[in-house]
Amino acid sequence: MKPSRQSFSPRQKLRKSFEFERVKAKGCSYKADAFFAQAHRNPSTTIPRLGIIATRRLGNAVARNRMKRIVREVFRKNSDLIIPEAEIIILPRKKMRNLEFSQIEIKFKESLEKLSLLS
């Protein structure tokens, strides 16, 4: 197992709307109580990529940004477990605010297993 990177690089982000639409249209989904995950295998990518959709329903900007930081950190810490051609979208839910980091990480790994994205 190779060591995980110490940063979340711009290459690892889904940015364009067509990238999000591709994952939504062609990917599979998994619904956990803390978040909703959608994933797609894109053979043209060489590293796993992540997109986060945090809507106003989650709370104010501080709460939304905190959840996005947590999701990015969980992804970064576990990126060595994910297949290189994976594109993942995470939609945090309100229940995520009450969970600790370790619980979110367990749920994230469970979702990767269900979506068959583990290498």
Side-chain angles (χ1 to χ4, degrees):
M1 182 165 55
K2 61 185 176 185
S4 61
R5 296 180 191 95
Q6 293 299 313
S7 65
F8 186 74
S9 72
R11 289 182 38 212
Q12 292 179 284
K13 296 177 185 176
L14 292 178
R15 294 174 179 232
K16 307 285 185 182
S17 61
F18 71 86
E19 295 172 332
F20 281 87
E21 292 301 322
R22 178 179 53 220
V23 174
K24 288 179 181 180
K26 297 181 180 177
C28 52
S29 61
Y30 175 74
K31 189 175 184 179
D33 58 346
F35 58 86
F36 183 71
Q38 295 175 307
H40 170 63
R41 288 178 186 234
N42 185 0
S44 64
T45 61
T46 58
I47 58 171
R49 301 179 70 208
L50 175 70
I52 304 169
I53 301 173
T55 62
R56 281 192 189 171
R57 289 186 211 170
L58 297 172
N60 61 10
V62 175
R64 292 193 307 269
N65 288 332
R66 178 168 165 34
M67 284 190 255
K68 289 192 285 188
R69 282 194 307 271
I70 289 170
V71 170
R72 280 193 299 266
E73 181 64 12
V74 168
F75 180 82
R76 185 194 66 79
K77 282 185 68 179
N78 296 289
S79 64
D80 56 336
L81 302 175
I82 304 170
I83 60 171
E85 57 269 0
E87 291 182 330
I88 304 168
I89 296 176
I90 300 289
L91 292 95
R93 301 172 83 190
K94 284 185 179 182
K95 289 187 179 183
M96 185 184 277
R97 292 188 296 191
N98 302 328
L99 298 177
E100 295 195 17
F101 183 83
S102 59
Q103 294 171 315
I104 296 170
E105 190 171 23
I106 290 168
K107 290 182 186 297
F108 183 75
K109 287 179 184 177
E110 181 182 297
S111 71
L112 292 177
E113 189 175 306
K114 296 285 185 183
L115 294 168
S116 64
L117 296 175
L118 295 177
S119 58

